[in-house]
Structures are given as structure tokens and as C-alpha cells.
Amino acid sequence: MSCANYVVTAHKPSHVTHTCVGAFTSPNETNLVVGKGTRVEIHLLTPQGLQPIVDVPIYGRITALELFRPKGEEKDLLFLTIERYKFCVLSYDENNGEITTRAKGDVQDKIGKPADNGQIGIVDPECRMIGLHLYDGTFKVIPIENGELQESYNIRLEELMVIDIVFLHGCDKPTIAVLYQDTKLHRHVKTYKVMLREKEFAEGPWDRHNLDEGAGILIPVPAPLGGALVVGEQKILYVNEETSVEKMMEQTVTRAYGQLDTARYLLSDYLGTMSLLVLEVNGNRVSSIKLDPIGKTSAANTLSYLNNGVVFLGSSYGDSQLIQLHSDLIPETGGYVEVLESFPNLGPIVDFCCVDLENQGQSQIVTCSGALKDGSLRLVRNGIGINEQATVDLTGIKGMWSLLDEGMENDKYLVVSFVGETRMLALNEAEELDETTIPGFDGESQSILCMNACHNQLLQVTAKEARLIDASTGSLLCSWGPAHGSHINVASANATQIVLAVNGNSLVYVEVGKSVLKEVGSTAMEAEISCLDVTPCGTDQEKSQIVAAGMWNMKVTLLALPSLSLYCEEALGGEVIPRSVLFAEFEEVVYLLSALGDGQLFSFVLDHKGRCLKDRKKVSLGTQPISLKSFKSSGSMHVFAASDRPTVIYSSNKKLLYSNVNLKEVNFMASFNCKSFPDSLAIASENMLTIGTIDEIQKLHIRTIPLGEQPRRIAHQESSRTFMVITAKFLTDEAGDTNEQYDLVLLNDQGFDIIDRFNLGECESACALVSCSLADSMAEYYVVGTAFSYPHEQEPGKGRILILMVDNGKLSLVFEAETAGAVYNLNPFNGKLVAGVNSRLNLYTWNEIEQGKFQLKEECSHTGHILVLYVQTRGDFILVGDLMKSITLLIYKPEENAIVELARDNSANWMTAVEILDEDIYLGAENCYNLFCARRNADAATDEERQRLEIVGEFHLGDFVNRFRHGSLVMKLPDTEQAEIPTVIFCTVNGVIGIVASLSEGLYRMLEQLQQCMNQVIKGVGGFSHSDWRSFQNERRSALARGFIDGDLIESFTDLRRDKMEEVVALMGKPFTVEKVLLTVEELQRLH
């Protein structure tokens, strides 16, 4: 296996870290700006809800995000800082619909201790300056003059342990309030005036000492009241120059606040309890504080008031929500808060497992997501599922169409065509599909086309003729046929028009009237016609102005109607004919899709003004001929591409997207929307007709299984069809003390119902979980590793290994063994069990001591580690990820009954996850958000080289990885290139699901060149450098990325304008072309 790897995101970060509201895209619009770790989303507030406008990656981890409007600006600007001490000011270009960089800079100091409580970035309400707290003991000032940012400088800050800083409102000079903790752990708030000319602090208007010990948030209060609120765990204090008002409250930890107006604020605590804080005012003085709980929501990270009582709640621990505040109590909830919409958040993902629950050859992943009461399991599946409603065994289907009833509201008939015959299926009185007949239909011929026509008529086209039938009586009204001896090969129609290919190369245009089919014209084509389409697009949805014809000379020809004059044509190239063409309108853009006989699909944008096809793109959807058919889902138009890899084509942000359907093969598809089967599709395969509903059209489908407690570990057991989940929850005893309770929860793997629960004892926490067979036994066990955590111990000195079995849906404890420390991980190992117990790696055997009775016995161990946190095994190899000693490769030698060290990485990496890619290559993630790849030099000349793991790849992911697992989110077919690419799935704290794919040396070199050329042409948002962002960096060293390709950047190639694509490819030089690069990138997209 190659040491080169491709890292790409399958699910973007979903946890919300920052939000702000303002007029960013237009002076008269309200925008919500959302920061999600390493991405920024811009939404527009509309009467229908939040409408996404822009979603862009940021080359850095966002630490501050604020909208501000300097003098002279018509709309707000966005100030953004990242963890690596860089900032930018962004604006929105309405003409191009793009974010542009107005200013940028580097604020890193050569010396200084990074702030313990994280970076703080704030903007003065009067837009006179920007303040940054990046290092202990300094406050950095960026003055703003005439709307322009000036050179920054530092002012010494006496307070070292800063908790929060805000600007105060209504001050003649920029004034900050600093919440800090002293060396005796007491908390205080102090204010300073920032003297911009003197570049120093002056004494502020007020200060307060010895606040609530849990004081953690400052809330600036706007003028005319001014001052600030200090939110603690038991007390809220309002303070300004003239007055000070306190309010006691029940003990809690407030995580977020949102301002409704000058005197009203929302507070949300760590349990998701939302409260309304009201400053009661007498004149311009605050007389008292009122605080009332108003409802339960997700635990908030941010709160942003939008309008009309609507608030956006951004969460890191649960789903983000759009909520409506009510003045009257809601009886169903017992509160004043209504959740209007939820936005799924997978983070933090602490563990996951890959399963194929439907036995389709495609993995789904089940994640342990969320925290505290927002804990849940999330079932994540790639592609679009079909939920079967009915199936009929039918072989040899050659075509299929649905026909509406007389009211033109619901589908009544399903027409199925076979060689030499056509059958009609209809819903009977029992709402079941039954075979029927319509007198005017030719049932003894194979149908080429059937559909509803204007004036309540039905149309059937066979090789002999086109027939017009009265939909009410079923009688034949008229027919049109070619000259004697001729036959119809291909047909397409809409409600008023028919186009037919007669004798291969003659194109005939027929118009549909009331009881009449009128031939309008015909023309001879230069080659035989393979497919036709006359779907109306644009303003006139009744009649098409153009007909598209796929030709045997590998061209697509467009003719104007009714004249049949040449509109334009496009040579497809190659040696495979187009088998299906279709006009499709997405987001007011008209596309022409042309599908070939080898599974390739061309897409073009139809340019009416230029009378041409532009923006040519090509994608591989399968290996067999494709049949294209449009359908509606949730009110939007989509296209179904039926083939050996069925795909739904749709559009988002004016980009065509392709989602695979989770069926192995589809030959034909027809919409079938009736009372018995609403919003359904009829799908024909080689031997079966299926009617089913289709999932929501999106790339990844996420199903939530709420637990109400935090899941920590998960394992699946095939034999018992169950999942076991380790959960944790906080319980309050009679004395008021809070204790953490760990449970082993058993769920069935179909409905995810809880079928049993095993409680662990007091002070015992579960750390590890695996499902495996032991020794030669065919039985599968759940094995759990635990630790006893006592207040007087720095490290757990005792733990247990529990071996449990599922019997008739119930858990039974088969065996337990005490260990001399915490069992941090467990792995099956050739019928034995490997366990990381504190600093030791232990190997256990499962021995039968008497008939039916087994015992777990320690066979050997390996020491020399700090903490054995992560272990992976392969054959006789064992890879250990240590707390702070990177990775070590061990081997078990059965003849010596010993585990010995083969090689180690001597770096001081604090590991968070490890995986074995093959016997010589290993993948690791560490706590500074980096990935690295190590290789064993088994053939090296010296012992020293053989005992050292060589680092061959380094990459900054920008997210905290909790787990790697071998697997794939997509169905890998054996005849495709992607089947040869091994993949590893990873999940992160921010809710990211990603893929690490091993690349061949040749593909890696090509992608490395593409990556370099894209960085020359495409600049990052805010002017941040891609190479700096992806550089490996921790507290000890930094190095340029190597051995890894940034798949997110590579796959953004498909979003570029054609001229930008050509510019990138021109830099790459020969033999590369835009088509070749696109094909490669689109194949890589199929990895996820």
C-alpha cells in the first residue's frame, strides 16, 4: 500500500461555535452569519425561514466572528479571527454573489504565553477600534480610522487570568470591561478606557471585586442604560458607574446569552434551560432584575435574535434550532418556547461503528453523538433510500409510464411495456394494483411511449403508430402512422407536441389537438436518431421551442420548433452513442443532460441568447446504459438516472449534484402518486416492479435516536442483531450531590429500541467496549472495560473486564475479572483479548476450566508506556497509541509467549486515535488537530532504522479525531476504480465524518500538482494561506504538509467556472485536459 493519502470530508462540521446577525449581503436584508469551526455560512432571513446564501471554508479554526459597520458603509462588514493569530475583514459582493476580502493581517507576537481561556476578539460599538486578547498580560488594539484598519499595537494588561472581555456602550472613549480571576481564585471585573492616541489604558468608570466564584460571562448593556451584566453560577449582577443590582438564582452554569432589546436578554445553561432576564428600569436607572425560566431547548452555544420573536440557537452538544418565543404558555411543552426547525448536529462524535444493517453491501455508520441530555445515536447513510410499499414479480419490462386520472390530480394507471405487448395496471376499489384494459390502447404491441396529453386525452406510441385516446371513455379518438412499410424507432412528447424518429434518421414533428394529431413537419437527419426529448423549459411550460436528438454519430443536435431548423449541435466524442437526452430546469437554469451507453453522463447549460450549449461537464454514473426521467419530490424537480448504479440528479446553489440510490440496479422509473401510494416511484429492475417512497433528496441521510444521556462507546453484534452502548448521565442524590452513572444499554439493530440495561456500580465508569468471539467458541460476547474513579486517586488503581452474553434479548454476565487499573481499550486478538490497562498492555486468554465454564487469564504483558489509550491489531501486530509518547508497534511471539517492541515513533505526540493501514503503514491523530502517517522500515540496514517508525506524511486536519474505522460510506462495485482504493472513516468533535483513502503513487503526484495549481489560481477566504493551514503544527514544531492530499480543495475544482478550470489545467501543463481532471475528481467524489 502507498504511503500517500487523500483526506476528504463526507459530512461538514455541524457544531456551531459563533453566530451574529446584521445586514451583510444587502442594506435592506437581515442575515444570520454562522461559524462552524472551520466554515462560515451566510443565511438570509425570509418569511419562509432561513435561506442559505453562501457556505465557504475558512483556512483556520475560527476564534472570533463579529459584524460591524464603520462610518460610510451601507452594509455590515464581517470581522473574523483564526487560531493561528490571523484576522480578516470580509464584505459581500452582491453582483458576483461572492465574499471578498477588505482587509487582512497577522497579529502574532514573537513572544508571549497564549491565553489560557482562549482567544477573544471584540469590536467597539462605535467602530473606533478592534480589541484582541491573544496572550496573557497583553491587549492588542487595531484602530479604525475613516473606515480603514490601522497598524495594531499592544497595551499591557495587568490581569493575567482573563475570563471575558467586552466593550461598554455609550462611552466617549473606547472602554472595555475585563472579567478576571486572581491568584487566590477570586473573580473581579475591572474597566479601562483605551486611549488610542497615547496607546495606553486609562482608569475606567467602575470596577467590582469579589464576585460570584462562578462568574463567567459579561453582557454589555446598550445605552442609555450602559454598564454590564455579570452572570455567575448563583448570582447575576448588573453594574454601571452609578448603580449595582444583584439577583440570586438557582445554581447552574450559563453557556450563552442573546440580546432581545436594551432591557431583555435570553440566557441558556448547560442543561438547555432557557431563561428570560429583564432589567426593570426606573427612568434610566436599573432598579431590579427579573429572571424567569421559559422553556427547554438544546444546550446553547450561541443565541442570536433575528426578528418577530424568532431566535437562532447554535449548539455544540445537540441540534441547533430556530425557535419562536411566545407571550402565552404553550400547553404541550409547558413553556413559552416553540421549536420551528432543527438543524442536525452530529458533534461531538466520541465513537462510532460501521454496519451493513440492510445487507446491501454498503456501510452505514452509527455515531455516539451529543452530550448530556442531548446525547443520541445517529444513523448516517450515504445516498437515497427507497422505502418499499409494494412489489410485483415481473420480468422483461421494456418501458414504464404512469397516467393521471380524469381529475389530473393522482396517478391512476401504470403502463408496463414488454416485447410484443403492453399491460395496464390500475388501482381497484381495494386500493390494490390490478391488471385492467383501456379499449383504445393497443395491448398487443410494445409501447415506446405513453403519457397524458392535453384536452383530457391519453397518448400511446408504438412502432406502428401514435394513438390518441379519450381519458374519460377510453375510446380511440385518432391515430397517426408513418408511411406503409416505415416504423417508429424513438419518440418523445409533452402535453401538446410529439417528436418521432421514423426509419432511423427521419425526424417527424406532430402537434396534439383536441381529437386530432397533426403532422407539422419532418426532416432528414445526417445520422440515425438514438434518443429524443421535447420537455418544455423556461417560461412556457406547455410547449417546447426546441427538440433535442441524440445521434448515432456521437452528437447531440438541437432543432427549433416548429421549423425543425438547426438550433445548435454538440459533438460528444468517443465511440459510445447517447441513449437518453433530457431537458431539465433546476433553480431557473435549463440544462441538457445526455446519457451514454457506457454509463457516462454529459451536462450542458442551454444558452438561449447565444443559441448554444455551454459549461460542458462529464461524470461517470455507472457502466451500463442510462435512462433519464424527471420527477418531483417535495415540490422540487429532480432527475432519476436509471442504470446499474441508479442516481438522482438535483441542484443546490446552482450546482448539479448526484446522489446514488440504494438499489443495486434500476432499468426504468416512473412517478406514481396516488392515494394508496402518495409521492411514490415505480421502479423496474430485471425481474421485479417495486413501488416505494423516496427519502429526502440529499447526500447523507441522518436518523436520530434520542437517548437523553450521553453515549460514550458503541459496538454491534451480528449474531444477536443488537447494539450495545455505554452511556453516562448525571444523577442528583438526596444530599444534593451530583454523581455520574454509567450504564450498558442494549438496543435491537432494527428499531433501535432499548431491550435491556446493565447498571455499573458507584464510582465505576465504562471506558472500553468490543463485540467478539473468544478462543474457538462460536459464541459472540460483549466485552466491557471499566475503571473505578475515587476522589483520593490521581489515576484509577482498579478496574474490571466484564464479559456479557445476549440471551433472548437479555444481558447476562458470564465472567468478570479485576484489573490493576483502568481498562482504556479492548481488542480481539486471534481468539484472545488485548487490553490497555493504565500503562500496561495485557494479553488475555479465554480458557475452559470445566464443562461450559470459562476463565479469563492474563498470558503476558508489555510495559514502558505512559497510558495505553488506543490500540489496534492486525495479525500478530499490535499498534499502541500512548497518551504522550506517540505510537509504538509491537508483535506477539507465541513461541516465546511474549509481546515485544518492533519499532516506535520517538516524537512526543499526544494521541487521540490510531489505525493500521497495512502491516507497514500506520495512521495517527494527535491533540493539536494533526494527522500523521508512519512507516516501518522492516528492510532497513541497521537495527536503529528498523526500530524507528519513519514519519512519511503530516497534515493539519483542524479538528479533533476521536476514532478511525476501516470501512466505506458508499457501495463499492467490483468493476470500478474506487473498489481498488482502501478507505478509513474518521469522526471528530465538530461533527465531521471524513475519509482517508490510500492513493497510488501516480495518482498522488497528479493530485499534488493539481492542488498546487489550484492554490495559485484560487485564494482562500480572507486571504488565508492553504499551505499554512494544512501545515503540521503543535506546541513543539511545525512542518509543511506532505504525504496527504486535501480532498476538500481538490473536489472544489468541480465548482469552478470553466475559465478558472482551464486556468488551473493550463498551469498543470500537458497531457492534462479539463475533461481528464474532472473525470478523476468526480471518481474521487464517489469515495464518499
Side-chain angles (χ1 to χ4, degrees):
M1 183 182 289
S2 167
C3 299
N5 292 292
Y6 180 84
V7 182
V8 67
T9 300
H11 181 268
K12 297 174 185 175
S14 53
H15 90 144
V16 175
T17 54
H18 301 80
T19 57
C20 50
V21 176
F24 182 66
T25 58
S26 173
N28 302 317
E29 294 176 341
T30 301
N31 299 110
L32 172 70
V33 182
V34 180
K36 293 185 175 179
T38 58
R39 299 191 73 87
V40 167
E41 298 175 2
I42 312 294
H43 299 263
L44 174 65
L45 183 63
T46 70
Q48 292 74 38
L50 290 174
Q51 176 187 329
I53 301 293
V54 180
D55 178 5
V56 292
I58 303 296
Y59 293 156
R61 289 171 58 87
I62 299 168
T63 54
L65 194 69
E66 282 210 30
L67 287 169
F68 70 107
R69 188 179 300 188
K71 290 180 182 177
E73 292 288 341
E74 290 186 346
K75 54 189 180 183
D76 292 338
L77 305 178
L78 182 64
F79 173 70
L80 181 150
T81 64
I82 60 174
E83 210 170 63
R84 292 188 178 178
Y85 305 102
K86 291 180 173 60
F87 74 88
C88 64
V89 175
L90 306 173
S91 64
Y92 185 75
D93 185 341
E94 292 182 68
N95 296 325
N96 297 324
E98 295 177 348
I99 292 177
T100 58
T101 304
R102 292 280 291 268
K104 61 179 181 176
D106 190 325
V107 286
Q108 186 169 14
D109 293 341
K110 291 182 179 179
I111 57 171
K113 179 177 177 288
D116 283 337
N117 287 322
Q119 300 178 11
I120 298 172
I122 50 176
V123 182
D124 172 45
E126 305 293 326
C127 296
R128 294 166 289 192
M129 62 164 283
I130 293 169
L132 299 168
H133 182 253
L134 309 173
Y135 301 94
D136 287 344
T138 61
F139 184 75
K140 189 173 290 287
V141 175
I142 306 175
I144 303 175
E145 294 181 9
N146 301 319
E148 300 293 327
L149 271 60
Q150 307 300 309
E151 188 174 346
S152 65
Y153 56 84
N154 287 335
I155 299 177
R156 186 170 176 273
L157 187 65
E158 292 181 0
E159 293 72 32
L160 295 180
M161 182 61 75
V162 172
I163 295 160
D164 199 6
I165 303 180
V166 297
F167 275 107
L168 299 180
H169 291 255
C171 301
D172 58 343
K173 300 283 186 187
T175 304
I176 61 170
V178 182
L179 176 64
Y180 67 98
Q181 181 173 288
D182 63 21
T183 54
K184 296 180 180 179
L185 305 183
H186 297 146
R187 298 195 174 186
H188 320 276
V189 64
K190 192 171 183 179
T191 60
Y192 293 100
K193 289 184 178 180
V194 182
M195 314 303 289
L196 293 173
R197 287 190 178 180
E198 293 81 0
K199 299 184 179 181
E200 61 183 23
F201 284 142
E203 189 174 334
W206 51 265
D207 55 25
R208 288 294 182 276
H209 298 286
N210 298 318
L211 304 168
D212 180 3
E213 288 183 5
I217 294 178
L218 287 176
I219 304 175
V221 177
L225 299 177
L229 285 159
V230 186
V231 182
E233 292 182 3
Q234 296 177 297
K235 185 191 302 181
I236 295 176
L237 171 71
Y238 169 78
V239 59
N240 68 6
E241 196 170 355
E242 301 170 350
T243 186
S244 176
V245 180
E246 286 186 358
K247 171 71 176 179
M248 300 302 294
M249 62 178 183
E250 286 188 25
Q251 184 166 0
T252 188
V253 178
T254 302
R255 294 292 190 198
Y257 76 90
Q259 178 184 325
L260 301 181
D261 53 35
T262 304
R264 295 184 304 159
Y265 300 84
L266 292 176
L267 302 181
S268 178
D269 70 4
Y270 74 108
L271 293 174
T273 301
M274 185 168 287
S275 302
L276 178 64
L277 183 152
V278 180
L279 297 177
E280 298 188 318
V281 180
N282 185 4
N284 280 338
R285 293 173 62 91
V286 174
S287 57
S288 64
I289 298 172
K290 189 178 178 184
L291 184 70
D292 294 306
I294 59 172
K296 284 279 189 181
T297 62
S298 295
N301 211 26
T302 68
L303 291 168
S304 291
Y305 181 66
L306 299 175
N307 205 351
N308 297 325
V310 178
V311 177
F312 180 81
L313 181 154
S315 180
S316 291
Y317 291 158
D319 291 343
S320 296
Q321 296 170 329
L322 197 63
I323 60 175
Q324 174 79 56
L325 304 178
H326 291 271
S327 55
D328 298 323
L329 188 73
I330 304 170
E332 294 81 10
T333 62
Y336 299 85
V337 176
E338 177 191 2
V339 177
L340 301 177
E341 188 176 358
S342 288
F343 306 90
N345 167 33
L346 300 189
I349 304 174
V350 293
D351 194 16
F352 72 99
C353 63
C354 299
V355 292
D356 182 9
L357 297 179
E358 296 167 10
N359 296 316
Q360 289 188 335
Q362 175 178 345
S363 289
Q364 303 162 60
I365 69 172
V366 185
T367 67
C368 293
S369 294
L372 302 173
K373 76 172 188 64
D374 295 319
S376 65
L377 300 180
R378 304 293 175 112
L379 179 61
V380 183
R381 176 170 48 81
N382 184 291
I384 298 167
I386 300 292
N387 306 304
E388 288 186 6
Q389 307 289 318
T391 59
V392 182
D393 290 331
L394 284 174
T395 58
I397 296 175
K398 298 300 180 185
M400 187 167 59
W401 307 268
S402 58
L403 298 176
L404 293 166
D405 58 18
E406 292 179 41
M408 304 292 281
E409 292 180 1
N410 294 308
D411 290 314
K412 182 177 181 181
Y413 301 104
L414 194 61
V415 184
V416 186
S417 177
F418 302 87
V419 174
E421 66 171 329
T422 298
R423 295 186 196 174
M424 185 83 63
L425 303 177
L427 287 169
N428 58 25
E429 293 180 358
E431 296 292 314
E432 296 173 339
L433 273 178
D434 217 350
E435 193 163 344
T436 187
T437 58
I438 294 179
F441 261 78
D442 181 1
E444 297 181 357
S445 299
Q446 177 181 334
S447 294
I448 297 173
L449 173 70
C450 295
M451 67 176 300
N452 289 84
C454 57
H455 306 299
N456 196 28
Q457 301 172 125
L458 305 177
L459 175 69
Q460 180 193 20
V461 180
T462 67
K464 296 183 295 185
E465 60 186 347
R467 301 165 67 89
L468 197 61
I469 298 133
D470 188 307
S472 300
T473 64
S475 59
L476 178 66
L477 297 172
C478 71
S479 66
W480 176 95
H484 183 70
S486 300
H487 59 275
I488 301 168
N489 307 99
V490 184
S492 177
N494 56 51
T496 61
Q497 299 166 295
I498 312 172
V499 286
L500 308 149
V502 177
N503 289 344
N505 68 339
S506 178
L507 180 64
V508 180
Y509 171 48
V510 176
E511 289 186 348
V512 182
K514 190 169 185 179
S515 304
V516 64
L517 294 173
K518 179 185 176 184
E519 182 178 334
V520 177
S522 64
T523 186
M525 307 295 285
E526 64 180 47
E528 288 195 29
I529 299 167
S530 59
C531 50
L532 291 167
D533 186 59
V534 70
T535 303
C537 285
T539 53
D540 188 353
Q541 293 294 311
E542 296 296 322
K543 207 167 188 178
S544 178
Q545 306 301 315
I546 307 170
V547 56
M551 312 295 293
W552 276 73
N553 60 0
M554 291 51 155
K555 288 183 180 179
V556 173
T557 302
L558 272 60
L559 303 177
L561 293 176
S563 65
L564 294 178
S565 59
L566 181 66
Y567 187 88
C568 68
E569 66 179 1
E570 183 83 18
L572 301 179
E575 299 178 353
V576 183
I577 64 167
R579 298 293 292 268
S580 183
V581 288
L582 182 70
F583 288 111
E585 186 172 357
F586 299 115
E587 298 181 294
E588 300 179 352
V589 178
V590 178
Y591 295 88
L592 176 68
L593 306 176
S594 177
L596 308 188
D598 62 353
Q600 304 287 322
L601 176 78
F602 285 94
S603 67
F604 306 90
V605 172
L606 179 62
D607 183 355
H608 278 293
K609 290 183 180 178
R611 289 176 68 96
C612 65
L613 296 172
K614 63 180 186 180
D615 291 351
R616 169 179 172 142
K617 291 184 179 177
K618 183 180 179 184
V619 61
S620 174
L621 297 185
T623 60
Q624 299 299 313
I626 297 172
S627 169
L628 300 170
K629 200 89 170 272
S630 59
F631 71 99
K632 277 198 170 183
S633 175
S634 303
S636 298
M637 182 61 67
H638 307 286
V639 172
F640 194 102
S643 72
D644 59 331
R645 276 190 267 167
T647 303
V648 169
I649 305 167
Y650 59 106
S651 176
S652 178
N653 294 327
K654 301 205 172 176
K655 177 194 172 186
L656 289 185
L657 300 175
Y658 306 88
S659 279
N660 61 296
V661 178
N662 295 329
L663 295 172
K664 293 191 175 174
E665 186 176 29
V666 174
N667 294 339
F668 301 98
M669 185 284 299
S671 295
F672 194 61
N673 178 28
C674 59
K675 290 180 181 177
S676 298
F677 306 109
D679 300 317
S680 296
L681 300 179
I683 292 169
S685 61
E686 195 67 35
N687 301 307
M688 186 172 289
L689 170 63
T690 301
I691 295 175
T693 57
I694 193 163
D695 283 346
E696 187 180 347
I697 310 296
Q698 58 192 44
K699 186 79 174 173
L700 284 178
H701 285 265
I702 300 167
R703 176 185 168 194
T704 303
I705 297 96
L707 295 176
E709 50 193 322
Q710 183 169 350
R712 294 287 179 87
R713 294 288 182 268
I714 186 169
H716 181 248
Q717 193 171 91
E718 182 68 34
S719 59
S720 63
R721 305 292 296 173
T722 60
F723 286 97
M724 179 181 278
V725 182
I726 294 174
T727 65
K729 58 188 173 186
F730 288 95
L731 302 174
T732 304
D733 59 23
E734 295 177 358
D737 295 326
T738 300
N739 300 302
E740 198 170 15
Q741 168 69 49
Y742 278 80
D743 292 340
L744 311 179
V745 179
L746 190 70
L747 305 95
N748 65 45
D749 69 2
Q750 296 302 307
F752 285 86
D753 302 309
I754 296 176
I755 54 179
D756 201 10
R757 184 183 287 265
F758 186 96
N759 303 114
L760 296 184
E762 189 178 349
C763 297
E764 186 176 19
S765 56
C767 307
L769 170 64
V770 69
S771 172
C772 63
S773 297
L774 295 172
D776 298 326
S777 170
M778 296 299 291
E780 272 194 286
Y781 302 97
Y782 281 117
V783 187
V784 179
T786 75
F788 288 90
S789 304
Y790 298 111
H792 63 275
E793 290 183 331
Q794 287 188 334
E795 284 294 332
K798 188 175 78 167
R800 289 195 298 168
I801 295 177
L802 308 177
I803 298 180
L804 302 104
M805 194 173 224
V806 180
D807 186 14
N808 293 323
K810 296 295 180 183
L811 283 171
S812 59
L813 183 61
V814 177
F815 183 81
E816 64 174 295
E818 191 170 301
T819 60
V823 183
Y824 288 114
N825 56 75
L826 292 162
N827 275 270
F829 185 74
N830 304 327
K832 302 177 182 180
L833 191 69
V834 167
V837 181
N838 279 11
S839 61
R840 294 166 60 92
L841 183 81
N842 294 343
L843 179 64
Y844 294 93
T845 57
W846 185 237
N847 302 317
E848 188 170 13
I849 51 177
E850 56 182 83
Q851 183 66 34
K853 284 197 172 183
F854 291 85
Q855 181 180 14
L856 197 66
K857 184 180 178 183
E858 184 179 328
E859 181 178 323
C860 59
S861 64
H862 187 273
T863 58
H865 312 278
I866 304 296
L867 282 180
V868 180
L869 294 183
Y870 312 100
V871 173
Q872 293 295 334
T873 63
R874 183 173 182 144
D876 287 333
F877 293 104
I878 304 169
L879 184 68
V880 173
D882 193 86
L883 171 69
M884 54 190 294
K885 290 174 69 174
S886 197
I887 59 175
T888 304
L889 181 66
L890 310 174
I891 189 170
Y892 171 62
K893 295 190 173 182
E895 66 279 2
E896 299 176 18
N897 194 27
I899 299 172
V900 298
E901 181 179 315
L902 280 180
R904 68 166 54 237
D905 172 28
N906 293 317
S907 308
N909 292 323
W910 293 56
M911 302 304 296
T912 64
V914 297
E915 188 54 87
I916 299 176
L917 298 183
D918 71 9
E919 290 186 354
D920 292 322
I921 301 172
Y922 318 102
L923 181 65
E926 50 93 84
N927 70 330
C928 290
Y929 320 120
N930 300 299
L931 302 181
F932 66 90
C933 188
R935 177 173 61 194
R936 178 170 71 106
N937 296 312
D939 301 325
T942 65
D943 287 344
E944 184 182 352
E945 289 178 302
R946 284 193 292 271
Q947 291 168 8
R948 187 181 73 247
L949 291 176
E950 179 189 2
I951 303 301
V952 291
E954 296 177 307
F955 183 80
H956 185 75
L957 182 67
D959 207 344
F960 193 103
V961 176
N962 273 323
R963 179 75 72 187
F964 293 114
R965 300 262 191 210
H966 283 279
S968 172
L969 280 169
V970 297
M971 194 182 300
K972 291 187 176 181
L973 300 180
D975 56 347
T976 60
E977 288 183 21
Q978 71 195 44
E980 305 299 320
I981 301 178
T983 55
V984 169
I985 302 172
F986 65 84
C987 289
T988 76
V989 166
N990 287 359
V992 168
I993 300 173
I995 304 292
V996 179
S998 298
L999 301 176
S1000 66
E1001 190 65 27
L1003 182 56
Y1004 171 75
R1005 293 299 172 203
M1006 179 260 181
L1007 294 176
E1008 186 180 40
Q1009 188 179 355
L1010 174 59
Q1011 183 173 271
Q1012 291 170 354
C1013 295
M1014 285 188 69
N1015 279 325
Q1016 292 179 48
V1017 175
I1018 312 299
K1019 301 303 178 187
V1021 174
F1024 300 143
S1025 164
H1026 178 267
S1027 61
D1028 287 351
W1029 164 231
R1030 292 307 187 190
S1031 295
F1032 182 100
Q1033 187 174 64
N1034 58 25
E1035 295 169 353
R1036 295 163 294 282
R1037 67 182 191 89
S1038 61
L1040 288 174
R1042 60 192 173 104
F1044 285 90
I1045 296 293
D1046 183 354
D1048 293 338
L1049 175 65
I1050 293 294
E1051 293 180 12
S1052 69
F1053 181 82
T1054 61
D1055 299 332
L1056 300 180
R1057 300 194 310 266
R1058 182 76 184 192
D1059 60 323
K1060 290 291 184 183
M1061 288 184 184
E1062 290 170 352
E1063 190 178 344
V1064 170
V1065 173
L1067 287 173
M1068 294 177 71
K1070 293 182 179 180
F1072 298 109
T1073 63
V1074 170
E1075 280 67 30
K1076 283 184 179 178
V1077 173
L1078 267 175
L1079 193 61
T1080 301
V1081 174
E1082 284 163 352
E1083 276 298 319
L1084 289 168
Q1085 286 178 323
R1086 290 189 168 276
L1087 292 173
H1088 58 93

